[in-house]
Structures are given as structure tokens and as C-alpha cells.
Amino acid sequence: MSATGKPVTGPFEKTKGWLDWCDKPSKPDFVLPEGSVDAHCHVFGPGAEFPYAPERKYTPCDASKAELFALRDRLGFARNVVVQATCHGADNSAMVDACLASGGRARGVATVRRSVGDDALRRLHDAGVRGVRFNFVKRLVDFTPKDELMEIAGRIARLGWHVVVYFEAVDLPELSDFFTALPATVVVDHMGRPDVTKPIDGPEFSLFLKFLRDHLNVWSKVSCPERLSVSGPPALNGAGQAYRDVVPFARRVVEEFPDRVLWGTDWPHPNLKNHMPDDGLLVDFIPHIATTPDLQRKLLVDNPMRLYWPEEQGG
Ligand code: 0GY
């Protein structure tokens, strides 16, 4: 049984509730470039083995490493970057377990507190962790003082790691000086969550683009159209292009910063309330935002390999 009380019979065979991920993702039409990396996904539990954090703001459905790896193979990815989600707090065990079980095909992004020891950081590194995540989304986490985050950033930078930041677009003006003071590469989750009902050339998204333009160590994930979209997937908007309202935003970022963008499924899509995306459809979204083979290879292979498997790039 899973922590949510549902029987688990194997990859893609679970009994699903409305909050669970799509258990029969379509096979994408878009053929991913060889060696593509799903650079933003999670594992949740299973709760019986890796309990959820007492301080969590939500309890997800279980989403195991075996199910993640099955999805990877079905969609045609070669590798994963497993990002620690807030429901596991700073207990990175499930994420580390996935990295260790992947045969070198998964790397991780951890959450650590100021109290983390150097030995623990070294063990995370040896397991495949290459970054920490600082989360500023108020519905997901309690406040952490910036001096604590800065101290952590200083320590992980010495390991060659980067910092992944997750925040809402309205908070960028308040946070940008802190981000640019971080002594490491900064990777912004989901384009800083733009409001896609606002004009792409309006002040909010222009500020985000300027932030990237002015700071060469800032990267962006062009992920999560399903989270940002108002028009939604075909099933909700009648037909046609899934998440079409997000396309111009993501395409602008990919075309202006082709060497500093990453893409990920965000499987198993925590906290989505209106619909659960078909991960195959999400992959079919990629050629709309990265429109040439060159841009696709940078987004899906070259950039994530440079950040997470630099030793294979001679870097
Ligand atoms: C995501 C998005 C969300 C959740 C988390 O760590 C998390 O719990 O990141 C969200 O609810 O927007 O990237 O998984």
C-alpha cells in the first residue's frame, strides 16, 4: 500500500486519485535528442520508507524512483535531475536513494539547513547532488533568514554546486539583489512564475528578462507550462496547442538565453488542482518553445550536462 492508502502494483499501474499523476502518459510525437535530461522532477516517498517532513505544507501521493525511471524511459529521456521537494523538508533520503539507484543517470538538488555538517555535504556530493534549492514560495515553506541562506551558498559553492531558486514573479524586485550576491550559479525555477495573462513586454516579465540579461550567472528553467497556463491543456481549452499562452514567454527566454536554459517535466506535479498533465504532451510542448534542433540540443542536452555532469563535458 502507498502512504495515501492506495494499492501500488507497479509503474503505471497504480490506482489513481485526482491528485495523482497521469499514469498512462502518451508517447510523445517529439523525439527527444539523444542524451536528453529531464532537469526538474521529484520523487515522493514512498512515505512508508521515506516519511514526509513534519513541517510540510502538503502531503503528496507517493511517487517512487521506479516510477520516475519508468517515465524517463517511456518519454525518451536519458537522465534525470531529482529536485528535493518541500514535502520532504531537509531530509534528502528519498532523493539521494533515487540518485544512488540510477546507475549514474540521476543527479540531485538538495535542501540543507545551516546545521548541515561538512561530512553530510560531502556524502550528498558523492551521491550525485550538485545544487541546493532555496524556496521563497510562501504557500510551500516557512521563512528562512537570508543570512542563513547566504552562509549555505558560500559552503556549497566550494563544492562547485549551484543554487536553484523558486519564487513568485511579484517577489523578484525584493529578491534580486540577494540572488545576484550569491557566490554561485543561480537557476530560476519555472521562469520565475510569470503571470502569463500579463503582456510579455510588460514591466513584470521585462524585469525578469533584464535580470537574466544583466547577470550571466543566472539561468532559467523554462518548465511548468501546466502550472503557469490559464488556457490549459487541449482537454480544457477545446483543442489545439496545449498551454499555448505560455509559449511566447518560454520561447523568448530560450531564444535570448539559449546557453542558460533547462527543461523538466516537474513530475509528479505537486499541488496541481485543476488538471493533471499528460507528461507526453508536456514533451510535445518543447518544439514550440525551442524551435530548432540546435536550440533543442542546448536546452535538453548541452546545458544540463554542463551543470550536472561537467566531468563528461571535459569541464
Ligand atoms: C515544483 C512546484 C511546486 C512544489 C514544490 O518543493 C515543492 O514542494 O516545488 C509547487 O507547488 O508549485 O516545482 O515542484
Side-chain angles (χ1 to χ4, degrees):
M1 284 297 241
S2 73
T4 48
K6 294 173 189 150
V8 177
T9 50
F12 306 126
E13 289 167 23
K14 285 175 62 173
T15 304
K16 296 294 180 180
W18 67 276
L19 264 180
D20 289 357
W21 70 90
C22 171
D23 60 346
K24 296 230 172 2
S26 55
K27 197 87 180 143
D29 292 330
F30 176 58
V31 179
L32 291 162
E34 200 179 328
S36 286
V37 181
D38 176 352
H40 186 97
C41 51
H42 309 287
V43 287
F44 293 151
E49 196 181 347
F50 302 106
Y52 297 109
E55 73 273 21
R56 68 189 179 279
K57 306 289 186 202
Y58 65 94
T59 301
C61 58
D62 286 341
S64 71
K65 59 181 184 283
E67 289 160 319
L68 175 64
F69 299 156
L71 180 78
R72 174 198 68 199
D73 295 344
R74 177 161 179 82
L75 299 179
F77 284 99
R79 306 179 193 225
N80 297 107
V81 178
V82 184
V83 176
Q84 176 77 356
T86 56
C87 55
H88 275 298
D91 178 353
N92 296 288
S93 314
M95 178 272 290
V96 162
D97 176 66
C99 290
L100 291 173
S102 71
R105 295 174 68 185
R107 291 241 149 124
V109 174
T111 296
V112 298
R113 309 278 183 238
R114 172 182 255 157
S115 54
V116 68
D118 287 338
D119 288 356
L121 286 180
R122 175 49 60 184
R123 278 195 299 277
L124 288 170
H125 188 88
D126 291 345
V129 170
R130 294 295 178 268
V132 288
R133 192 179 194 208
F134 295 165
N135 201 318
F136 299 88
V137 178
K138 295 177 186 74
R139 72 184 155 80
L140 292 173
V141 283
D142 295 324
F143 174 77
T144 305
K146 292 204 182 79
D147 67 318
E148 174 168 349
L149 299 176
M150 191 57 82
E151 185 183 314
I152 291 168
R155 292 177 63 201
I156 62 93
R158 292 199 281 278
L159 293 166
W161 297 7
H162 60 275
V163 178
V164 173
V165 293
Y166 191 26
F167 60 90
E168 305 276 2
V170 291
D171 294 324
L172 180 58
E174 196 269 309
L175 291 167
S176 58
D177 285 350
F178 172 71
F179 292 157
T180 53
L182 291 168
T185 296
V186 173
V187 180
V188 177
D189 274 341
H190 320 329
M191 297 186 285
R193 291 196 62 110
D195 178 346
V196 299
T197 65
K198 293 183 178 166
I200 186 167
D201 293 317
E204 200 171 87
F205 202 60
S206 296
L207 183 73
F208 179 66
L209 294 175
K210 181 171 167 13
F211 177 57
L212 281 167
R213 216 172 278 138
D214 290 350
H215 302 285
L216 298 181
N217 67 326
V218 178
W219 295 37
S220 178
K221 291 180 197 163
V222 288
S223 43
C224 275
E226 73 286 3
R227 247 175 231 293
L228 306 174
S229 180
V230 177
S231 61
L236 291 188
N237 68 16
Q241 170 61 53
Y243 316 119
R244 64 177 183 276
D245 48 352
V246 184
V247 170
F249 290 81
R251 188 168 163 177
R252 177 75 68 86
V253 176
V254 169
E255 290 181 351
E256 190 169 345
F257 310 102
D259 297 315
R260 291 187 271 146
V261 284
L262 301 171
W263 192 89
T265 55
D266 194 31
W267 184 89
H269 313 289
N271 299 315
L272 282 189
K273 300 283 190 288
N274 295 328
H275 77 290
M276 193 40 66
D278 171 345
D279 295 279
L281 260 187
L282 286 176
V283 169
D284 282 335
F285 181 79
I286 295 172
H288 297 277
I289 64 167
T291 53
T292 67
D294 187 47
L295 289 172
Q296 290 159 7
R297 200 197 60 253
K298 288 181 174 192
L299 175 67
L300 296 160
V301 185
D302 296 352
N303 299 344
M305 288 301 289
R306 214 161 75 241
L307 204 56
Y308 290 97
W309 283 270
E311 72 280 8
E312 292 188 30
Q313 304 287 290

